[in-house]
Amino acid sequence: MTRFRRSLRQTLTIARRDFTATVFTPVFLLFLFAPLIIGSFSAIGGMGAASVAGPSDKARIVIVTPDRYARPLAEADTRLRAGYRRDETPPELTTITERTYPQGQARAAFRSRDYDAVAVMYGPLDKPTVLYGPLGKTAANYLGLLAGQALAAEKLGGAVPSVTLTKVAMTRERASTSGRNQSAFFAVFGIFFLTLFLAGQVVGTMAEERNNKVIEVLAAAVPLESVFLGKLIGMFGVALLFVGFWGTVVGKLGSLLPAGAAPALAELAPAIGGPTFAILFAAYFATAYLLLGSVFLGIGAQASTPREIQMLSLPITLVQVGCFALASAAASRPGSGIALAAEIFPLSSPFAMAGRAANSPVLWPHLLAIAWQLVWVAIFIAVGARLFRRGVLQSGSVRPFWKRGKS
Amino acid sequence: MNADYAITAEGLVKRFGDRRVVDGVDLTVPTGSIYGVLGPNGAGKTTTLRMLLGIIEPDEGHRTLLGTDHPRDASDWVGYLPEERGLYPSMKAKEAIAFMGALRGLDWRTGRARAADLMETIGLGHAADEKIRKLSKGMAQLVQLLGSVVHRPRLLVLDEPFSGLDPVNQEKLEALILAERDRGATVLFSTHIMAHAERVCDRLAIIAGGKRRFEGTVDDARATLPSRVHYRARRDEGVAAALPADAVRHGDDWRFPLPAEGIEPLLAQLIERGHGIAALSIERPGLHEAFVNIVGRAAAGETAA
């Protein structure tokens, strides 16, 4: 048997052990359903926040006006409202018949307990005054538009020209630039989110071997590089299971989206093409996981107690957030110096290149980038194994690198 | 490749910081033999074994394992029981043995079948499907030992295999070591318990202070000390003058090293002077005494240096 085949077999043996030891435990279910728990809390929090911050059903915009303007204002409101998205529609319009002291009426409207006035307009329509509350600045502008429309209708003798609109849905031959930027950001964020969730799991895996003293058995039978790679592959298998499960769930939920959502999604089409992008996304997720995982594994292997591992989680998260920030900047400025730096720096390269796939149709840089990233995976594993061999295996008394030099 | 020796080592050196933990050790382990590496605590035995197996690299020197300069290339034919025992607590015993076999190239199915047989043979059949965390320390140690032989290695390396075992299990381990040798495997084990080495080793090396102080058979080791004479006179008065100068009294007995010319001239003299012989025995020194002597000499030499 060649060395390569033997190493491969040993690596897969380690990977298999780690995969089964992780998946066939009750704790794994907790891990698998963690997004559901997080999602539930987010939904509850979101609903609470919406009920506190958003306009309620009792929110109103109010106009104090002579009776003759009530109808044109209502018609103008109907026309203008059609131009807004549902979640951006101004509050319902209420008109109050103007009497001798409209300013007092307007202020009284603000104090009304029958509704929550967001903005109240009074005075002549060519020079109206609008009182508005903390959430009413946009509504105040809207009231101004209504006033203009009502005046125009009055000048035209009440007959606003009718427009017969023919709407034809179009699809672009290529995604818009803003759509590409958005899809680039989504790609960067998607990989960041997945690796944030999953790559950190690798940190403590060597601790099991150290604490149970299995490491010597492994180290005698298997090169440490194979141990490291096997553990990485085993945990990557766990990550794939996680992604596969949630990918299926999200896919099924996606099929429930309304038909009108398709054109909006088409705007997000990546420059390199949907299927190629999907393959590259998967490849970059894999390399991002392996790169960050190999770094975390190497660092985590130096830790010998759960406390030390816990202490490592903060700098590790910061590294991930840093890479995300760099890659996000790259996605918003494709072709810039910062984009090139993010694409070359090994730890941010998968994120940045996924963003590039959304922004640029050229394929060959991706092949180069994946090879470059895999080289760094090998380097990180080799360095991690060397540090482990020197720091941990020597005699059990040699300190990890961050403790060396201390008395 | 030299098929006569399962292991050769020349001038192995390992430094940890400024300390030479292993300082020029030479070893030649004949194929098919049981070879003991003896030494006091901290002598460098474990570090030597680790270097031989390629777990750590020597700073100086050269070694071959089953004919190859790269111990990793021979890893599928080697079984190893480290000094610090370790198994995955959540694994079942049979699975743990099969896993260790799989690391050495044995397929899982064969590994499980052999694991069940081995556990049955050693009297642990009832625990085959128990998780490691539920086994006693001694049972877990036996499981790990079986894991080191499940793939039928050509070389079995055991680091302090007897420590932590009760006398019954020590007997089982001795039987297993002999069975492995009879199967054709070479067995190398380290220990500081002389009785086991004396019973099973074909050859041995004594390491102290990182250096090899002795290499040979058990008999060779015992021969490093003269036999001791235990003598009791019928008439004790004035007998000291007839005995060698280094004779020491222990109660009614006198003890002294066997004279180089043999015991007969001395006995003739004692009888002639009328001291007679109430009791006489000549004891060959055990490995224990030889070990203490060799290690003690080494320590004295280092102190003098």
Side-chain angles (χ1 to χ4, degrees):
Chain A
M1 185 178 279
T2 62
R3 278 185 196 177
F4 175 75
R5 282 188 63 193
R6 186 168 54 240
S7 293
L8 184 66
R9 187 204 70 219
Q10 291 167 331
T11 300
L12 293 179
T13 302
I14 302 279
R16 174 188 166 148
R17 205 294 309 179
D18 270 45
F19 180 81
T20 52
T22 307
V23 169
F24 296 118
T25 57
V27 178
F28 179 70
L29 286 179
L30 201 65
F31 170 71
L32 189 62
F33 290 111
L36 203 61
I37 298 166
I38 294 169
S40 304
F41 280 121
S42 302
I44 292 166
M47 281 191 291
S51 65
V52 171
S56 70
D57 291 343
K58 293 177 80 177
R60 295 285 186 278
I61 50 174
V62 181
I63 302 176
V64 180
T65 181
D67 280 341
R68 69 173 189 281
Y69 286 119
R71 187 184 171 88
L73 283 167
E75 286 172 354
D77 180 52
T78 306
R79 282 197 303 278
L80 289 181
R81 213 167 265 277
Y84 286 88
R85 285 199 332 215
R86 182 178 294 190
D87 56 338
E88 293 174 350
T89 317
E92 196 177 314
L93 174 67
T94 295
T95 52
I96 298 173
T97 304
E98 184 183 285
R99 297 208 171 83
T100 50
Y101 186 45
Q103 186 181 359
Q105 285 180 280
R107 291 188 181 279
F110 248 112
R111 291 193 296 271
S112 173
R113 292 188 176 182
D114 297 333
Y115 48 77
D116 295 328
V118 174
V120 182
M121 184 170 73
Y122 67 95
L125 289 184
D126 58 341
K127 282 188 180 176
T129 302
V130 180
L131 311 177
Y132 66 92
L135 301 172
K137 199 168 183 180
T138 308
N141 294 333
Y142 179 73
L143 286 171
L145 289 176
L146 289 182
Q149 287 279 311
L151 280 179
E154 186 185 41
K155 286 190 177 171
L156 292 168
V160 178
S162 66
V163 176
T164 306
L165 185 65
T166 305
K167 291 197 271 189
V168 179
M170 292 290 289
T171 51
R172 290 179 201 273
E173 286 181 9
R174 52 180 285 277
S176 64
T177 304
S178 64
R180 283 180 175 180
N181 281 347
Q182 276 186 324
S183 65
F185 179 77
F186 286 144
V188 171
F189 182 75
I191 293 178
F192 165 71
F193 182 75
L194 289 173
T195 50
L196 181 70
F197 240 116
L198 301 168
Q201 306 288 324
V202 179
V203 177
T205 54
M206 285 302 285
E208 185 184 11
E209 275 71 13
R210 289 187 62 174
N211 292 337
N212 296 328
K213 297 170 180 171
V214 185
I215 188 62
E216 183 119 357
V217 175
L218 300 184
V222 180
L224 271 179
E225 289 77 4
S226 292
V227 175
F228 273 54
L229 185 59
K231 298 193 90 55
L232 209 51
I233 291 173
M235 293 309 287
F236 184 59
V238 175
L240 284 184
L241 189 66
F242 180 92
V243 171
F245 176 79
W246 283 106
T248 307
V249 171
V250 171
K252 290 290 176 193
L253 289 177
S255 66
L256 301 176
L257 283 175
L265 290 176
E267 276 295 293
L268 298 177
I272 207 156
T276 311
F277 181 75
I279 293 168
L280 286 175
F281 185 88
Y284 286 127
F285 166 61
T287 53
Y289 185 95
L290 294 174
L291 275 165
L292 290 167
S294 58
V295 172
F296 299 162
L297 185 65
I299 295 171
Q302 300 283 316
S304 53
T305 63
R307 187 162 52 88
E308 286 183 350
I309 291 167
Q310 244 176 352
M311 295 291 284
L312 288 170
S313 64
L314 178 64
I316 279 168
T317 307
L318 288 177
V319 168
Q320 284 178 296
V321 172
C323 292
F324 171 64
L326 188 60
S328 297
S332 61
R333 274 174 278 179
S336 64
I338 197 164
L340 186 65
E343 287 160 9
I344 291 174
F345 181 60
L347 292 179
S348 60
S349 181
F351 304 95
M353 289 305 293
R356 186 189 175 111
N359 278 323
S360 162
V362 186
L363 185 61
W364 69 263
H366 297 286
L367 304 176
L368 197 64
I370 288 169
W372 169 248
Q373 290 156 20
L374 289 177
V375 165
W376 278 96
V377 171
I379 290 171
F380 288 145
I381 286 176
V383 171
R386 177 167 291 196
L387 282 175
F388 188 81
R389 192 180 287 117
R390 285 191 171 182
V392 181
L393 274 186
Q394 290 289 51
S395 68
S397 59
V398 176
R399 295 172 163 199
F401 68 88
W402 65 75
K403 290 182 180 172
R404 286 175 208 159
K406 291 184 185 174
S407 58
Chain B
M1 174 175 167
N2 189 340
D4 295 337
Y5 296 106
I7 295 173
T8 64
E10 289 170 28
L12 289 185
V13 172
K14 189 68 191 175
R15 298 183 200 88
F16 291 146
D18 298 333
R19 201 159 55 95
R20 286 168 81 97
V21 177
V22 176
D23 191 6
V25 165
D26 301 328
L27 285 178
T28 46
V29 179
T31 301
S33 67
I34 299 176
Y35 196 97
V37 177
L38 315 184
N41 294 328
K45 303 188 294 290
T46 296
T47 305
T48 302
L49 297 190
R50 283 174 159 191
M51 283 192 286
L52 293 176
L53 292 169
I55 299 173
I56 53 176
E57 291 299 311
D59 293 324
E60 291 172 30
H62 176 258
R63 85 284 204 209
T64 64
L65 193 77
L66 296 175
T68 172
D69 293 337
H70 305 283
R72 292 285 174 202
D73 290 346
S75 67
D76 282 0
W77 302 293
V78 177
Y80 176 51
L81 179 76
E83 182 182 15
E84 288 198 326
R85 318 287 187 245
L87 293 164
Y88 292 109
S90 58
M91 263 188 167
K92 290 178 179 174
K94 197 168 67 177
E95 250 346 79
I97 295 171
F99 170 68
M100 284 192 274
L103 289 175
R104 305 281 188 179
L106 189 67
D107 70 86
W108 283 83
R109 183 178 295 183
T110 310
R112 285 193 197 97
R114 283 193 197 169
D117 289 345
L118 283 168
M119 291 192 76
E120 203 65 53
T121 307
I122 210 161
L124 287 179
H126 61 283
D129 289 317
E130 289 283 353
K131 291 198 170 176
I132 296 294
R133 68 164 67 94
K134 291 192 174 175
L135 303 182
S136 70
K137 191 180 166 192
M139 285 165 81
Q141 192 166 326
L142 285 179
V143 166
Q144 189 167 357
L145 179 71
L146 297 182
S148 66
V149 299
V150 67
H151 58 295
R152 295 179 185 157
R154 285 162 50 191
L155 171 66
L156 180 60
V157 179
L158 311 170
D159 194 359
E160 301 286 359
F162 296 98
S163 65
L165 290 180
D166 62 42
V168 175
N169 282 326
Q170 287 185 19
E171 287 278 322
K172 286 181 182 174
L173 177 55
E174 277 192 18
L176 188 140
I177 288 173
L178 292 170
E180 284 297 303
R181 195 256 317 264
D182 294 344
R183 184 176 61 76
T186 307
V187 183
L188 172 72
F189 72 90
S190 73
T191 185
H192 56 264
I193 305 172
M194 298 304 121
H196 300 298
E198 197 157 17
R199 278 199 290 272
V200 300
C201 282
D202 298 317
R203 294 185 73 80
L204 55 88
I206 295 176
I207 295 178
K211 290 188 165 79
R212 195 197 74 185
R213 309 294 181 170
F214 171 83
E215 207 278 338
T217 63
V218 173
D219 280 344
D220 293 341
R222 293 167 71 178
T224 58
L225 282 177
S227 297
R228 292 192 73 79
V229 179
H230 292 219
Y231 165 69
R232 187 183 301 167
R234 285 187 188 281
R235 188 175 65 82
D236 196 62
E237 196 178 323
V239 73
L243 293 175
D246 51 359
V248 178
R249 180 186 275 282
H250 284 262
D252 292 338
D253 290 354
W254 289 91
R255 295 183 188 174
F256 50 88
L258 183 67
E261 65 275 16
I263 193 71
E264 293 84 353
L266 180 63
L267 290 180
Q269 194 180 359
L270 288 168
I271 291 166
E272 188 179 311
R273 292 186 180 187
H275 295 296
I277 301 170
L280 178 73
S281 65
I282 299 173
E283 282 184 9
R284 283 193 71 197
L287 185 58
H288 181 89
E289 287 81 15
F291 175 83
V292 170
N293 177 54
I294 291 166
V295 172
R297 264 195 343 236
E302 277 171 14
T303 306

